[in-house]
Amino acid sequence: MPELPEVETTRRGIATVMPGRRLRSLVVHEPRMRWPIPAHLSQTVAGQIVRRCERRGKYLLIGFDNGTMIVHLGMSGSLRRAPLDEIKRKHDHVEWVFDDARFLLHDPRRFGAVLWHDHGSGPVQTHPLLANLGIEPFDPGFTGTTLHQAFKNKKQAIKTALLAGDVVVGVGNIYASEALFRARINPKTAAGRLSRERCSRLHDAVLSTLSDALHSGGSTLRDYVNATGTPGSYFDIHAAVYNRAGQPCRVCHTPIKKIVQGQRATYYCPKCQAR
């Protein structure tokens, strides 16, 4: 599933092209996504100038004068640039067409979304999908201390607490496992049991893990490609535990263990992450 590094990599790709250009047309080939694409959307944005390309958590925000398009890549989606004359591929469901550029949303499972927040409805951050999101991990306000305070009295496992997104956004399943390994924290440990010092280690691990993923262009387990159609290389370079069940830990050589938490796979080293 595309996580914060993949979405941010995509945002950076489209942000070099879209802003300042007039959208000639939005072509919806398949409106049946996670939520139906609004029937009025193509008409609403046709001829409008893209003013900004931003991100909040795992959502891409394409801003116009009359509102903001909220795009989610779902479980296996990608948003890539394609030549104007390229034949549409199977599972290319939406096209953003400019005079000299074209972007296609590819989503085999159709778990993604393309929604609209009208300017008259207030700031896009008040949209129900965005209103309750936690702090961005690269925000200066995100620190080990704020992490410790937020987790205080939480009984849920730290891995589950990270995935919830109400404390810090964008630390999805892959990078939560990787960050917990770097911080030497067992994913089953109750979030409220973490000391201030361990939260500080986790904070640093989250930032370093996400930074490495960004520099690698994200990860590629299935279908993810960035805005230029290039797969990410995080797993080739950095992955320590994720998707490595039974393989030796890169630090102590103990076999990596896989468990399921909240219906999501968790990978960790039982020796390096003993508590």
Side-chain angles (χ1 to χ4, degrees), residues 60-176:
L60 290 168
L61 307 177
I62 303 175
F64 301 83
D65 289 333
N66 57 345
T68 302
M69 199 179 298
I70 302 173
V71 180
H72 194 281
L73 299 179
M75 294 293 292
S76 57
S78 61
L79 181 60
R80 74 181 192 282
R81 184 174 183 178
L84 292 173
D85 59 352
E86 180 181 291
I87 297 175
K88 182 181 76 70
R89 302 175 189 174
K90 185 179 180 181
H91 306 307
D92 283 346
H93 300 315
V94 184
E95 298 184 35
W96 287 257
V97 183
F98 300 84
D99 287 336
D100 57 351
R102 174 172 170 243
F103 292 86
L104 297 100
L105 177 65
H106 184 84
D107 188 0
R109 298 187 183 185
R110 289 194 280 113
F111 284 169
V114 180
L115 301 174
W116 179 251
H117 183 81
D118 192 82
H119 180 73
S121 299
V124 68
Q125 303 296 344
T126 64
H127 188 280
L129 291 174
L130 308 179
N132 296 317
L133 295 180
I135 193 169
E136 291 283 337
F138 294 106
D139 188 303
F142 176 57
T143 66
T145 299
T146 57
L147 200 59
H148 183 252
Q149 293 173 342
F151 284 151
K152 190 178 298 183
N153 301 321
K154 280 187 178 288
K155 296 181 180 180
Q156 64 188 149
I158 181 58
K159 165 82 178 316
T160 305
L162 282 174
L163 293 185
D166 57 342
V167 174
V168 57
V169 296
V171 188
N173 197 46
I174 295 171
Y175 302 116

Side-chain angles (χ1 to χ4, degrees), residues 50-65:
V50 175
R51 297 301 183 186
R52 58 202 170 274
C53 294
E54 300 173 335
R55 178 192 54 76
R56 180 70 172 107
K58 299 178 186 178
Y59 295 94
L60 290 168
L61 307 177
I62 303 175
F64 301 83
D65 289 333

Side-chain angles (χ1 to χ4, degrees), residues 195-210:
S195 65
R196 188 182 301 271
E197 188 274 333
R198 298 184 83 196
C199 283
S200 180
R201 288 212 319 263
L202 180 57
H203 162 268
D204 293 347
V206 165
L207 293 188
S208 65
T209 299
L210 294 179

Side-chain angles (χ1 to χ4, degrees), residues 29 34 56 97 115 162 226 253 262 266:
H29 298 288
R34 183 176 182 183
R56 180 70 172 107
V97 183
L115 301 174
L162 282 174
N226 62 28
H253 307 296
T266 295

Side-chain angles (χ1 to χ4, degrees), residues 213-235:
L214 279 168
H215 293 152
S216 304
S219 64
T220 298
L221 280 178
R222 293 186 179 88
D223 301 318
Y224 170 74
V225 295
N226 62 28
T228 65
T230 305
S233 59
Y234 176 84
F235 284 98

